[in-house]
Amino acid sequence: MAESPPPGDIGRQLVRRNGEARSWREKLALVQDLLADEDRELTPGDLTDVAIYLRFLSTGGIPCEEDGSHYRPSHHARIATRIHERLARLDAPELAFMVRKIQACLPSTAEPFQRAEPLTRIRDIAHRNDIPQDLKREIKTTLQNKLHRCAGPEDLVTSAGLLERIIAPDSHYSGDFVEQFRIFHGELLEFFNAASLDDRLRAFASTAGDTVGEAVSAFLAAKHRSEPDTLRHLTRLRELLDAGGIEARLADIALEDFAFPLLSEEINRLDAGDWPRHLDTLALTLDNLGRIAPEETAAIASELRTWRAGFDPADRDALLRLKASVDRARRVAGEFSDVVLARFADRAGQLAPELGVDPRAATVFAEAEIRSHLVFQLAKLASSLLRMIRAELGQSPWDVLVTGQARGRLHAVETIDTSLTGPRILLLEHATGDEELPAGVAGILLAHDLPHLSHLGVRARQAGVVVACCEEAELFHDLRELGGQMLRLTASIDGIHLEPAEESGVCPSTRVAGTGALPPVRLDPPAPVLPLEEIEADRGGNKSHGARKLSK
């Protein structure tokens, strides 16, 4: 995988001008200023740098301080509106993921925050006569005045701390005061784009049409009752939000985030022999990933729904068709993982020290993006289905997480030892998936399954370390007889192959890349549909041409 290039002009300007922009508002305005040039063709790298900057900013990695000016929160909302408007004009599919990452880090653009004097409830709270003078003074100085002078994410922390004290069991404040402060804190969460999913959807539904409102009600009802159809309701609601404006997009991003734990629960409930539910869940997962690879995910979901009709696991052809579709789904997860690693890993590491961000935040940046995204659940679900398919077909018990070739001395261990020197191929009894990858390891053969996008899986994919998991304990333990030998490991989607290797070698680990060349393409077929016997590779593709040869 090619390394990410260093930050471009926008990344360099963010670093250079960040120190001049002291407050949260000024830093948001800096982003707006850099994106505002209509003549600039924004690249994926530019948007990656902005997304990294805003994530560091929203999580407190980049500190903010007052800038000595006086700007109400309406200025922040208008800056966010202008950024959204600029991003809305970027319609290239390869930019969609980065655009959503940027939008999730911006303050709300809702009409109440665009008013000349937004968030006025806190002023009324600070002047109540049913609370002590010292609390009134604290609310006025640390929250009311600060918000109306120089709002920033730190104010949400202040408000949360005050609310915790106000509702503590040993406090004795009036019920009306507590209720008003709760409402204000909810408004502040909405302004900082941190409201709960339920509150966000209810607020959005109040201004949306009847169709969206009914879909919101159906989803929330299913969610609160933990109904099996909750994922289907969520998917339907996201389809309705797809063509909406800024608030619809933010609601959609929140729904996508919620789909992650929802899918985790659903996967844990799946029984090994429940083929229909596995296929339905995988198809719905792909529906929810349409924002990152719309054509590919739609095509695979369509295939799965076709195979599901009358599916019989005793039918070998049906299993092979299904395996091709599930392999294709897992490739979507792998390719997305590669893209995120290529875009985020190096750039976050390059920007963090220049912005004064803790290097540890940069180290886990790309991995966190992968392991919190729906593709993580897609990879888990696809792996589960592939295990079921391999068992039915009697195929290789090896589940290959990272394909490629590796050369090293086979070394049997219970757990990973980070002091290992290499090159070595580990015959590993146990891994949680959270381990760090030793520098001397070229390949790993694991005695049990592991999520493809676990921490260890992601690190191995990033480093090009070959990883395969064995589903048959007896076969795995037979490999112990090869312990201490110098071997070459080749791992592909069909399984693994081990052979003796020379003591010296040029490269301990190499990722396998596709070597097949695409044939010339003819775009003038004699008819829209061709009989199989008339298919040639140049007008039907290699698969169809191969099917013709098989039919003979």
Side-chain angles (χ1 to χ4, degrees), residues 329-370:
R330 196 161 71 174
R331 280 197 298 273
V332 169
E335 289 167 1
F336 176 83
S337 174
D338 285 344
V339 168
V340 172
L341 289 171
R343 289 186 181 176
F344 276 129
D346 290 339
R347 293 182 103 97
Q350 293 158 357
L351 288 172
E354 299 291 337
L355 294 169
V357 175
D358 187 336
R360 290 172 295 183
T363 301
V364 301
F365 196 103
E367 183 186 338
E369 288 294 332
I370 295 168

Short mmCIF file of all heavy atoms in Angstrom, two decimals, residues 329-370:
data_model
loop_
_atom_site.label_atom_id
_atom_site.label_comp_id
_atom_site.label_asym_id
_atom_site.label_seq_id
_atom_site.Cartn_x
_atom_site.Cartn_y
_atom_site.Cartn_z
N ALA A 329 -18.15 -8.89 -0.34
CA ALA A 329 -18.48 -7.98 0.76
C ALA A 329 -17.29 -7.75 1.67
O ALA A 329 -17.02 -6.63 2.12
CB ALA A 329 -19.66 -8.54 1.56
N ARG A 330 -16.54 -8.84 1.95
CA ARG A 330 -15.39 -8.68 2.84
C ARG A 330 -14.29 -7.86 2.16
O ARG A 330 -13.54 -7.14 2.83
CB ARG A 330 -14.86 -10.03 3.29
CG ARG A 330 -13.94 -9.91 4.49
CD ARG A 330 -13.76 -11.20 5.22
NE ARG A 330 -12.95 -12.15 4.47
CZ ARG A 330 -12.55 -13.33 4.98
NH1 ARG A 330 -12.92 -13.69 6.20
NH2 ARG A 330 -11.83 -14.16 4.26
N ARG A 331 -14.21 -7.94 0.84
CA ARG A 331 -13.23 -7.10 0.14
C ARG A 331 -13.58 -5.62 0.30
O ARG A 331 -12.68 -4.77 0.36
CB ARG A 331 -13.16 -7.48 -1.33
CG ARG A 331 -12.32 -8.70 -1.61
CD ARG A 331 -11.92 -8.80 -3.08
NE ARG A 331 -13.08 -8.93 -3.95
CZ ARG A 331 -13.66 -10.08 -4.26
NH1 ARG A 331 -13.22 -11.21 -3.74
NH2 ARG A 331 -14.69 -10.11 -5.09
N VAL A 332 -14.87 -5.30 0.34
CA VAL A 332 -15.27 -3.90 0.57
C VAL A 332 -14.69 -3.41 1.89
O VAL A 332 -14.13 -2.30 1.98
CB VAL A 332 -16.81 -3.76 0.57
CG1 VAL A 332 -17.23 -2.38 1.08
CG2 VAL A 332 -17.36 -3.97 -0.83
N ALA A 333 -14.82 -4.24 2.93
CA ALA A 333 -14.27 -3.86 4.24
C ALA A 333 -12.76 -3.71 4.19
O ALA A 333 -12.20 -2.75 4.73
CB ALA A 333 -14.67 -4.90 5.29
N GLY A 334 -12.08 -4.65 3.52
CA GLY A 334 -10.62 -4.57 3.42
C GLY A 334 -10.15 -3.37 2.64
O GLY A 334 -9.20 -2.68 3.04
N GLU A 335 -10.80 -3.08 1.52
CA GLU A 335 -10.40 -1.95 0.70
C GLU A 335 -10.66 -0.63 1.43
O GLU A 335 -9.85 0.30 1.35
CB GLU A 335 -11.16 -1.98 -0.63
CG GLU A 335 -10.69 -3.11 -1.54
CD GLU A 335 -11.63 -3.35 -2.71
OE1 GLU A 335 -12.64 -2.62 -2.81
OE2 GLU A 335 -11.37 -4.29 -3.50
N PHE A 336 -11.79 -0.55 2.15
CA PHE A 336 -12.06 0.66 2.93
C PHE A 336 -11.00 0.85 4.01
O PHE A 336 -10.51 1.95 4.24
CB PHE A 336 -13.44 0.56 3.57
CG PHE A 336 -13.78 1.72 4.48
CD1 PHE A 336 -14.27 2.90 3.95
CD2 PHE A 336 -13.59 1.62 5.84
CE1 PHE A 336 -14.58 3.97 4.78
CE2 PHE A 336 -13.90 2.69 6.68
CZ PHE A 336 -14.39 3.86 6.15
N SER A 337 -10.63 -0.27 4.67
CA SER A 337 -9.59 -0.21 5.69
C SER A 337 -8.28 0.31 5.10
O SER A 337 -7.61 1.17 5.69
CB SER A 337 -9.38 -1.59 6.30
OG SER A 337 -8.30 -1.59 7.20
N ASP A 338 -7.92 -0.17 3.92
CA ASP A 338 -6.68 0.28 3.27
C ASP A 338 -6.74 1.78 2.97
O ASP A 338 -5.75 2.51 3.15
CB ASP A 338 -6.46 -0.49 1.97
CG ASP A 338 -5.96 -1.91 2.22
OD1 ASP A 338 -5.51 -2.18 3.35
OD2 ASP A 338 -6.03 -2.73 1.29
N VAL A 339 -7.89 2.24 2.48
CA VAL A 339 -8.04 3.66 2.14
C VAL A 339 -7.90 4.53 3.39
O VAL A 339 -7.19 5.55 3.39
CB VAL A 339 -9.39 3.92 1.46
CG1 VAL A 339 -9.68 5.42 1.36
CG2 VAL A 339 -9.41 3.31 0.06
N VAL A 340 -8.57 4.13 4.48
CA VAL A 340 -8.50 4.92 5.72
C VAL A 340 -7.08 4.95 6.26
O VAL A 340 -6.58 6.00 6.69
CB VAL A 340 -9.48 4.36 6.76
CG1 VAL A 340 -9.28 5.04 8.12
CG2 VAL A 340 -10.92 4.58 6.30
N LEU A 341 -6.41 3.79 6.25
CA LEU A 341 -5.03 3.76 6.72
C LEU A 341 -4.13 4.65 5.87
O LEU A 341 -3.29 5.40 6.38
CB LEU A 341 -4.50 2.33 6.70
CG LEU A 341 -5.07 1.38 7.76
CD1 LEU A 341 -4.62 -0.05 7.49
CD2 LEU A 341 -4.64 1.81 9.16
N ALA A 342 -4.33 4.59 4.54
CA ALA A 342 -3.49 5.40 3.64
C ALA A 342 -3.74 6.89 3.84
O ALA A 342 -2.80 7.69 3.77
CB ALA A 342 -3.77 5.00 2.19
N ARG A 343 -4.98 7.26 4.08
CA ARG A 343 -5.29 8.69 4.20
C ARG A 343 -4.99 9.26 5.57
O ARG A 343 -4.54 10.39 5.70
CB ARG A 343 -6.78 8.92 3.87
CG ARG A 343 -7.12 8.73 2.41
CD ARG A 343 -8.55 9.11 2.14
NE ARG A 343 -8.90 8.92 0.73
CZ ARG A 343 -10.11 9.11 0.23
NH1 ARG A 343 -11.08 9.51 1.02
NH2 ARG A 343 -10.35 8.91 -1.04
N PHE A 344 -5.27 8.47 6.62
CA PHE A 344 -5.21 9.01 7.98
C PHE A 344 -3.92 8.74 8.72
O PHE A 344 -3.44 9.60 9.46
CB PHE A 344 -6.37 8.45 8.81
CG PHE A 344 -7.66 9.19 8.63
CD1 PHE A 344 -8.82 8.50 8.33
CD2 PHE A 344 -7.74 10.56 8.77
CE1 PHE A 344 -10.02 9.15 8.18
CE2 PHE A 344 -8.93 11.22 8.61
CZ PHE A 344 -10.08 10.53 8.31
N ALA A 345 -3.38 7.53 8.59
CA ALA A 345 -2.30 7.11 9.50
C ALA A 345 -1.11 8.06 9.46
O ALA A 345 -0.71 8.62 10.49
CB ALA A 345 -1.88 5.68 9.16
N ASP A 346 -0.52 8.25 8.29
CA ASP A 346 0.67 9.10 8.20
C ASP A 346 0.34 10.57 8.41
O ASP A 346 1.07 11.29 9.08
CB ASP A 346 1.35 8.90 6.84
CG ASP A 346 1.99 7.53 6.71
OD1 ASP A 346 2.26 6.92 7.76
OD2 ASP A 346 2.21 7.07 5.59
N ARG A 347 -0.78 11.03 7.84
CA ARG A 347 -1.10 12.46 7.92
C ARG A 347 -1.38 12.87 9.37
O ARG A 347 -0.97 13.96 9.81
CB ARG A 347 -2.29 12.79 7.02
CG ARG A 347 -1.99 12.64 5.54
CD ARG A 347 -3.18 13.01 4.69
NE ARG A 347 -3.03 14.32 4.08
CZ ARG A 347 -2.61 14.54 2.85
NH1 ARG A 347 -2.26 13.51 2.09
NH2 ARG A 347 -2.52 15.75 2.36
N ALA A 348 -2.09 12.03 10.11
CA ALA A 348 -2.34 12.35 11.52
C ALA A 348 -1.02 12.42 12.28
O ALA A 348 -0.81 13.31 13.12
CB ALA A 348 -3.26 11.32 12.15
N GLY A 349 -0.12 11.49 11.99
CA GLY A 349 1.18 11.50 12.65
C GLY A 349 2.02 12.71 12.29
O GLY A 349 2.80 13.20 13.11
N GLN A 350 1.87 13.22 11.06
CA GLN A 350 2.62 14.39 10.64
C GLN A 350 2.04 15.68 11.21
O GLN A 350 2.78 16.61 11.58
CB GLN A 350 2.63 14.46 9.11
CG GLN A 350 3.43 13.33 8.45
CD GLN A 350 3.01 13.08 7.01
OE1 GLN A 350 2.10 13.71 6.49
NE2 GLN A 350 3.68 12.14 6.36
N LEU A 351 0.71 15.75 11.29
CA LEU A 351 0.07 16.99 11.75
C LEU A 351 0.11 17.13 13.27
O LEU A 351 0.23 18.25 13.79
CB LEU A 351 -1.38 17.04 11.27
CG LEU A 351 -1.60 17.28 9.78
CD1 LEU A 351 -3.08 17.11 9.42
CD2 LEU A 351 -1.14 18.68 9.38
N ALA A 352 -0.03 16.02 13.99
CA ALA A 352 -0.17 16.08 15.45
C ALA A 352 0.95 16.86 16.14
O ALA A 352 0.67 17.79 16.91
CB ALA A 352 -0.29 14.67 16.03
N PRO A 353 2.24 16.53 15.93
CA PRO A 353 3.28 17.29 16.65
C PRO A 353 3.32 18.76 16.27
O PRO A 353 3.64 19.61 17.10
CB PRO A 353 4.57 16.56 16.24
CG PRO A 353 4.24 15.84 14.98
CD PRO A 353 2.80 15.47 15.08
N GLU A 354 2.99 19.06 15.01
CA GLU A 354 2.99 20.45 14.58
C GLU A 354 1.87 21.25 15.24
O GLU A 354 1.96 22.46 15.39
CB GLU A 354 2.84 20.53 13.06
CG GLU A 354 3.97 19.86 12.29
CD GLU A 354 5.28 20.61 12.43
OE1 GLU A 354 5.25 21.82 12.73
OE2 GLU A 354 6.34 19.98 12.26
N LEU A 355 0.78 20.54 15.61
CA LEU A 355 -0.37 21.21 16.23
C LEU A 355 -0.34 21.11 17.75
O LEU A 355 -1.26 21.58 18.43
CB LEU A 355 -1.67 20.58 15.71
CG LEU A 355 -1.96 20.79 14.22
CD1 LEU A 355 -3.12 19.91 13.78
CD2 LEU A 355 -2.28 22.27 13.94
N GLY A 356 0.71 20.48 18.30
CA GLY A 356 0.82 20.34 19.75
C GLY A 356 -0.09 19.28 20.33
O GLY A 356 -0.45 19.32 21.50
N VAL A 357 -0.48 18.31 19.51
CA VAL A 357 -1.39 17.24 19.95
C VAL A 357 -0.57 16.07 20.49
O VAL A 357 0.50 15.75 19.95
CB VAL A 357 -2.28 16.78 18.77
CG1 VAL A 357 -3.14 15.59 19.17
CG2 VAL A 357 -3.16 17.93 18.30
N ASP A 358 -1.08 15.42 21.53
CA ASP A 358 -0.42 14.25 22.12
C ASP A 358 -0.19 13.21 21.01
O ASP A 358 -1.13 12.80 20.33
CB ASP A 358 -1.33 13.66 23.20
CG ASP A 358 -0.66 12.53 23.98
OD1 ASP A 358 0.27 11.90 23.43
OD2 ASP A 358 -1.07 12.27 25.12
N PRO A 359 1.07 12.77 20.81
CA PRO A 359 1.36 11.80 19.75
C PRO A 359 0.54 10.52 19.85
O PRO A 359 0.26 9.87 18.85
CB PRO A 359 2.85 11.51 19.94
CG PRO A 359 3.39 12.70 20.66
CD PRO A 359 2.27 13.18 21.54
N ARG A 360 0.12 10.13 21.07
CA ARG A 360 -0.68 8.91 21.22
C ARG A 360 -2.02 9.03 20.51
O ARG A 360 -2.55 8.04 20.00
CB ARG A 360 -0.88 8.60 22.70
CG ARG A 360 0.39 8.14 23.41
CD ARG A 360 0.17 8.03 24.90
NE ARG A 360 -0.10 9.33 25.51
CZ ARG A 360 -0.28 9.54 26.81
NH1 ARG A 360 -0.20 8.51 27.65
NH2 ARG A 360 -0.52 10.75 27.28
N ALA A 361 -2.57 10.25 20.47
CA ALA A 361 -3.84 10.45 19.76
C ALA A 361 -3.66 10.22 18.27
O ALA A 361 -4.57 9.70 17.60
CB ALA A 361 -4.36 11.86 20.02
N ALA A 362 -2.51 10.58 17.74
CA ALA A 362 -2.25 10.38 16.31
C ALA A 362 -2.02 8.91 16.01
O ALA A 362 -2.41 8.41 14.95
CB ALA A 362 -1.04 11.20 15.88
N THR A 363 -1.38 8.18 16.94
CA THR A 363 -1.04 6.78 16.72
C THR A 363 -2.29 5.93 16.48
O THR A 363 -2.31 5.04 15.63
CB THR A 363 -0.25 6.23 17.91
OG1 THR A 363 0.94 7.00 18.08
CG2 THR A 363 0.12 4.77 17.70
N VAL A 364 -3.34 6.21 17.23
CA VAL A 364 -4.55 5.38 17.14
C VAL A 364 -5.62 6.00 16.24
O VAL A 364 -6.71 5.45 16.13
CB VAL A 364 -5.14 5.14 18.55
CG1 VAL A 364 -4.12 4.46 19.44
CG2 VAL A 364 -5.60 6.45 19.19
N PHE A 365 -5.31 7.13 15.61
CA PHE A 365 -6.33 7.87 14.86
C PHE A 365 -6.97 7.01 13.77
O PHE A 365 -8.18 6.83 13.71
CB PHE A 365 -5.71 9.13 14.24
CG PHE A 365 -6.71 10.14 13.77
CD1 PHE A 365 -6.96 11.27 14.53
CD2 PHE A 365 -7.41 9.96 12.60
CE1 PHE A 365 -7.90 12.21 14.10
CE2 PHE A 365 -8.35 10.88 12.17
CZ PHE A 365 -8.58 12.02 12.93
N ALA A 366 -6.13 6.47 12.87
CA ALA A 366 -6.67 5.72 11.73
C ALA A 366 -7.36 4.45 12.19
O ALA A 366 -8.44 4.10 11.70
CB ALA A 366 -5.55 5.39 10.75
N GLU A 367 -6.75 3.76 13.15
CA GLU A 367 -7.35 2.52 13.62
C GLU A 367 -8.70 2.77 14.27
O GLU A 367 -9.65 1.99 14.09
CB GLU A 367 -6.41 1.85 14.62
CG GLU A 367 -6.93 0.51 15.10
CD GLU A 367 -6.07 -0.09 16.19
OE1 GLU A 367 -4.89 0.30 16.30
OE2 GLU A 367 -6.58 -0.93 16.94
N ALA A 368 -8.81 3.87 15.03
CA ALA A 368 -10.09 4.19 15.67
C ALA A 368 -11.16 4.44 14.63
O ALA A 368 -12.33 4.07 14.81
CB ALA A 368 -9.92 5.41 16.58
N GLU A 369 -10.79 5.09 13.51
CA GLU A 369 -11.76 5.33 12.45
C GLU A 369 -12.28 4.02 11.87
O GLU A 369 -13.48 3.90 11.56
CB GLU A 369 -11.11 6.15 11.33
CG GLU A 369 -10.86 7.61 11.68
CD GLU A 369 -12.16 8.37 11.89
OE1 GLU A 369 -13.19 7.99 11.30
OE2 GLU A 369 -12.15 9.34 12.68
N ILE A 370 -11.42 3.04 11.73
CA ILE A 370 -11.82 1.74 11.16
C ILE A 370 -12.66 0.95 12.15
O ILE A 370 -13.74 0.45 11.82
CB ILE A 370 -10.58 0.93 10.76
CG1 ILE A 370 -9.82 1.63 9.62
CG2 ILE A 370 -10.97 -0.49 10.34
CD1 ILE A 370 -8.46 1.06 9.36
#
